[in-house]
Amino acid sequence: VPTQQWVGRGRYAVVDLSAGPTEHGLLDAGEDEEVAAAALPQVVPALQGGDAGRARRSAQPKMEAAYSLAHAQFVAQLATVVLSAATHLVAPDVAVCALPAFERLVVPLIVLRDHRLFDPLAPGHARSIDLPAIQSSVRRLLLPAQTVEILPSLHELHDHPQISVAVARAQQSDSVQVIDDNGHVVTRARSYLDADGLSAHMHESVDWLAS
């Protein structure tokens, strides 16, 4: 995924700290694709200079103090970016998953469908949910002495009208930049479910399944 300040593929991302601030983004990007000064930690002049700058700072205590302050701020801001990338790109589940001390973790897996074309929990077809893979991924978050049990269940969406409304309200679309077959960067609209919005609407629902 190419952007003005970072490129990524899968769960890998490369960030260009010198990409901003800019007032205008890519040619094919939207109006809000500029890089703001607060988007990434800035390599300010006090951090530049290489070996020559290091030599000048060693002879001037004020320059050394300015460098120490700028370096501390830069490292703190960079740590924030790395933490944000880890919780949103590499392992987004850790942002909402706090596992206290326990011996057994029970994870209800609620599958909602609005059709009767196939059973997502039935193995052997192209749209089957890989339950062993989910259990393996959850187990990797646990301590050695802890165990996990996945409890899958299938429900028809039309049997839960309030959840249907919550799903409809949580549906969002976003514009993303992708590379087409000709190698051009184009803007496409992709639909997705807003997890925070869905969770908020589910909390407001009186449906027993949402509770």
Side-chain angles (χ1 to χ4, degrees):
V1 180
T3 66
Q4 180 76 5
Q5 56 185 309
W6 64 275
V7 294
R9 187 177 184 88
R11 291 191 172 185
Y12 292 89
V14 178
V15 179
D16 182 6
L17 297 181
S18 63
T22 61
E23 296 182 357
H24 303 284
L26 300 173
L27 293 178
D28 294 330
E31 296 180 356
D32 298 329
E33 295 299 323
E34 70 275 3
V35 180
L40 289 174
Q42 302 297 314
V43 184
V44 296
L47 297 174
Q48 302 175 12
D51 293 336
R54 188 179 301 108
R56 288 194 301 269
R57 290 194 301 270
S58 63
Q60 300 184 34
K62 291 185 178 180
M63 290 185 61
E64 183 64 29
Y67 169 82
S68 299
L69 177 60
H71 183 266
Q73 293 176 342
F74 175 81
V75 171
Q77 294 170 353
L78 184 60
T80 302
V81 172
V82 172
L83 178 60
S84 177
T87 55
H88 292 87
L89 177 68
V90 180
D93 293 338
V94 302
V96 295
C97 182
L99 301 178
F102 57 87
E103 296 181 357
R104 180 169 170 262
L105 173 66
V106 177
V107 181
L109 178 61
I110 300 175
V111 180
L112 298 170
R113 67 174 179 178
D114 58 354
H115 60 80
R116 295 186 180 275
L117 299 177
F118 57 85
D119 182 356
L121 296 177
H125 58 83
R127 299 181 182 272
S128 298
I129 296 178
D130 193 345
L131 295 178
I134 295 177
Q135 187 169 8
S136 177
S137 298
V138 175
R139 187 180 294 113
R140 282 155 46 177
L141 298 174
L142 305 181
L143 298 175
Q146 296 173 333
T147 60
V148 61
E149 182 178 359
I150 306 294
L151 299 180
S153 60
L154 178 64
H155 302 268
E156 306 298 337
L157 194 58
H158 62 266
D159 291 336
H160 304 273
Q162 298 211 16
I163 295 182
S164 301
V165 173
V167 172
R169 290 179 176 178
Q171 289 182 347
Q172 303 288 336
S173 62
D174 198 3
S175 297
V176 296
Q177 284 71 45
V178 298
I179 300 177
D180 62 11
D181 297 336
N182 298 322
H184 299 143
V185 178
V186 296
T187 301
R188 299 279 174 82
R190 289 183 179 176
S191 299
Y192 65 96
L193 280 177
D194 180 17
D196 293 336
L198 180 60
S199 177
H201 292 310
M202 294 279 275
H203 281 300
E204 297 173 356
S205 173
V206 296
D207 191 284
W208 65 269
L209 191 60
S211 59

